[in-house]
Amino acid sequence: MTNPEKNATKLSVDLNVNINHIENILGFPSDLIIKEFKVGGSHSCAIVCIDGLVNRDLISEQILKSMLIDLGESNKIIPVKGDEFVSFMRSELLPMHAMVEVFMMNEVLSAVLSGDTVLLIHGSSKALVIGTKGWKSRGIEEPQTEALIRGPRDGFTEDICTTTSLIRRRLPDPNLRFDTYKIGERIPKEVIVAYIEGIVNPKLVDEVKRRLVSIKRDDTDGSGFIEQWIMDNFMSPFPQILNTERPDKVSTALLQGRVAVLVDGTPFQLIMPISFVSSFHSPEDLYQNWMISSLIRFLRIAAAFMTTFLPALYIALTEFHHGMLPSKLAFSIAGAREGVPFPAVVEAFMMEGTLELLREAGIRLPKPIGQTIGIVGGLVIGEAAVSAGIVSPIMVIVVAITAISSFTLPTYSFAISLRMIRFAVMLAAGIFGIYGIVLAYIIISIHIVNLKSFGLPYSTPVAPMFIKDWKQVLMRVPVTQLDNRLEMLETQDKKRT
């Protein structure tokens, strides 16, 4: 497509000029449909659309039939002037609810390329954009990245209308707001800011909208692009915006007083603001007994520490601090590592790097083959490495526990951040031992305390401390005691009951 600024011209009153302009800009594509006809014997009209993006039956039954057949059978007086005829078509003739008037050529092109049908009328500098999107889309399926044992099985699709309907079905609240924006200079994409008026903090909504409208790019390649653009600190490895494909997760967040950004063309939608502990939450926590959910949350927190520090702790104890181990355990580790030619830090980097390669290969390959590669590859390589004396059996156990721990985290972006930090902590342990681990822990803690997500400190509700929020965030008390919303979100309506 040419530069959008060159297309920002007004429509001509000459139908042929408009048609020629559209054809020249689009390059005479084979899927461009332009059908010219006369209405009432005097008004020359044309519909413009892209084959494959529109619903053909809708165009034939609702548009052409109304203009050519129903009008001929009626006794309505047809206006002579072009602009009056456009108003007559919109109010009296076309039974479409999704219909707007446009005056600019770039608006016509954007509508046509988005799957709508444009009605051009000779003698008028206005055109009617009629909603006729009808391309094939994926049906509602169970989310692939956030599976649950107990809970709803529906997930978002790439269609923004399906996304909003799934949320409205769960939240039939008249105060639910969907504010729509077009993001992208050359290829506009529909982006919706969702929130519940009367609950959410208005300052949060204004800040989200301000960051969205600041995006000045040709296009927005999905919600991942928008997430990176509007986050507080792009140099941080930690996710400051939660992405999810579960409608129940978005609905719960809106009721808490958060804001959701819904992006057309992707099943992954964004929730903000979040804190560090938000990454340990799963929708399943609300569907299970409070004791089970609380225990599982603490288990996830312990798993996050093991994912980050367990290999580094193994390096520090085996290379620098043998006296901290019980005698029998120290002798057992020393016997297992006898004959291994590499120091523990090299051994750990080799095994962790191999594990990351297997993970990535398992994701990229077809699902049946990927599962085979992940299981068989791990077993074969681990066993072969031990038999060859390259690594010790203890190292294989440590790497396996670390991998299993990372899989327990419900948020993929958070888990992969910890996997990346793990290598830095391992390097610190290989240089300074246990002091390096402590130093790395202090640096991570300082970074988390200074990080923010849309004004919310990332370390809340611990620092700053909101003790009343602990029963909802750190643990999960019985639902009968969840009377108030989170204080840290500074909501307008603080009561849930």
Side-chain angles (χ1 to χ4, degrees):
M1 187 190 296
T2 58
N3 192 327
E5 294 181 358
K6 296 181 180 180
N7 302 327
T9 58
K10 290 185 177 181
L11 292 172
S12 171
V13 295
D14 191 326
L15 177 62
N16 292 325
V17 171
N18 291 329
I19 292 176
N20 291 334
H21 199 174
I22 293 172
E23 290 178 330
N24 289 327
I25 292 174
L26 297 182
F28 299 91
S30 59
D31 56 351
L32 177 64
I33 298 176
I34 299 179
K35 181 174 179 58
E36 299 184 53
F37 53 91
K38 286 185 178 291
V39 177
S42 58
H43 292 280
S44 297
C45 304
I47 57 171
V48 183
C49 60
I50 297 291
D51 189 20
L53 297 183
V54 296
N55 187 332
R56 285 191 171 192
D57 295 335
L58 187 63
I59 295 174
S60 300
E61 296 295 326
Q62 301 290 336
I63 300 177
L64 294 178
K65 182 181 177 181
S66 297
M67 290 190 295
L68 299 179
I69 300 177
D70 294 348
L71 181 62
E73 296 175 353
S74 66
N75 296 319
K76 294 180 179 179
I77 300 176
I78 303 176
V80 177
K81 294 183 179 180
D83 289 345
E84 294 179 359
F85 182 71
V86 173
S87 301
F88 170 77
M89 296 281 284
R90 183 178 182 182
S91 60
E92 300 289 338
L93 199 57
L94 293 176
M96 312 295 292
H97 64 280
M99 188 163 44
V100 294
E101 293 181 1
V102 295
F103 304 87
M104 308 297 290
M105 180 57 67
N106 59 343
E107 295 175 324
V108 170
L109 294 171
S110 176
V112 170
L113 294 174
S114 299
D116 293 326
T117 297
V118 174
L119 175 62
L120 301 172
I121 300 171
H122 184 72
S124 174
S125 60
K126 296 189 288 187
L128 288 178
V129 175
I130 307 170
T132 57
K133 294 182 177 68
W135 59 73
K136 293 183 179 180
S137 59
R138 182 172 60 92
I140 298 175
E141 301 173 354
E142 183 177 357
Q144 299 296 315
T145 59
E146 298 173 278
L148 300 182
I149 301 298
R150 182 178 181 181
R153 302 296 181 188
D154 55 341
F156 290 129
T157 67
E158 289 77 9
D159 183 20
I160 192 70
C161 294
T162 304
T163 296
T164 54
S165 65
L166 289 172
I167 296 175
R168 282 203 181 275
R169 191 175 69 180
R170 284 173 169 79
L171 295 177
D173 190 329
N175 295 314
L176 178 61
R177 300 288 181 262
F178 287 141
D179 296 342
T180 305
Y181 294 85
K182 292 287 186 179
I183 307 297
E185 300 294 324
R186 183 178 292 269
I187 306 176
K189 180 167 289 187
E190 187 173 351
V191 177
I192 297 176
V193 179
Y195 58 93
I196 299 180
E197 192 174 27
I199 295 181
V200 69
N201 188 333
K203 294 181 180 179
L204 173 61
V205 178
D206 293 340
E207 179 63 17
V208 173
K209 293 179 178 179
R210 184 192 68 80
R211 297 190 190 186
L212 280 177
V213 298
S214 70
I215 301 177
K216 303 298 181 183
R217 286 293 183 271
D218 283 349
D219 67 328
T220 55
D221 191 13
S223 59
F225 177 93
I226 294 177
E227 177 184 354
Q228 295 174 65
W229 184 278
I230 65 177
M231 66 170 52
D232 287 68
N233 186 355
F234 65 90
M235 295 298 292
S236 174
F238 294 105
Q240 298 140 56
I241 298 174
L242 202 62
N243 64 83
T244 180
E245 52 180 333
R246 298 197 62 90
D248 56 333
K249 200 168 185 177
V250 172
S251 302
T252 301
L254 294 178
L255 283 172
Q256 289 175 341
R258 304 182 198 267
V259 174
V261 173
L262 315 176
V263 185
D264 189 21
T266 176
F268 292 93
Q269 312 305 339
L270 307 177
I271 298 173
M272 59 213 68
I274 63 170
S275 61
F276 181 80
V277 293
S278 299
S279 299
F280 300 104
H281 296 173
S282 171
E284 196 170 17
D285 296 344
L286 295 174
Y287 308 133
Q288 298 284 5
N289 181 276
W290 69 274
M291 290 183 287
I292 298 174
S293 298
S294 298
L295 179 62
I296 292 177
R297 280 189 183 177
F298 288 122
L299 183 64
R300 294 181 192 134
I301 295 173
F305 275 92
M306 286 192 290
T307 300
T308 310
F309 296 106
L310 185 58
L313 191 60
Y314 169 80
I315 294 170
L317 293 178
T318 55
E319 292 291 328
F320 295 94
H321 309 284
H322 311 285
M324 297 181 66
L325 293 171
S327 299
K328 291 185 178 181
L329 179 59
F331 291 144
S332 176
I333 294 176
R337 297 198 72 252
E338 185 178 1
V340 176
F342 304 109
V345 62
V346 176
E347 184 185 9
F349 268 94
M350 286 174 53
M351 290 303 297
E352 290 291 348
T354 303
L355 178 64
E356 294 300 325
L357 289 174
L358 286 172
R359 279 180 173 177
E360 196 65 19
I363 293 174
R364 306 303 165 201
L365 290 171
K367 186 174 292 186
I369 303 176
Q371 294 175 351
T372 304
I373 289 293
I375 298 173
V376 177
L379 292 174
V380 171
I381 292 177
E383 180 64 27
V386 172
S387 301
I390 299 176
V391 298
S392 64
I394 275 288
M395 185 70 248
V396 175
I397 295 173
V398 169
V399 170
I401 295 175
T402 304
I404 293 171
S405 299
S406 67
F407 289 133
T408 62
L409 302 176
T411 306
Y412 176 78
S413 56
F414 181 71
I416 202 170
S417 300
L418 296 184
R419 284 159 51 188
M420 181 176 64
I421 293 172
R422 178 172 67 231
F423 286 96
V425 179
M426 287 164 52
L427 184 61
I431 299 174
F432 301 108
I434 203 78
Y435 303 105
I437 298 178
V438 173
L439 181 62
Y441 178 79
I442 292 173
I443 293 173
I444 295 171
S445 299
I446 292 174
H447 175 69
I448 290 175
V449 169
N450 284 279
L451 194 61
K452 288 187 177 182
S453 173
F454 288 84
L456 177 70
Y458 204 60
S459 55
T460 51
V462 178
M465 187 175 293
F466 293 90
I467 296 181
K468 291 183 179 179
D469 292 347
W470 287 17
K471 64 180 182 179
Q472 299 186 51
V473 178
L474 295 180
M475 58 182 298
R476 215 276 284 165
V477 297
V479 293
T480 54
Q481 298 184 23
L482 298 177
D483 298 329
N484 300 317
R485 291 186 171 87
L486 296 174
E487 287 186 353
M488 63 184 185
L489 295 178
E490 298 179 349
T491 56
Q492 290 181 300
D493 185 1
K494 301 185 182 302
K495 290 287 185 181
R496 298 185 64 176
T497 56

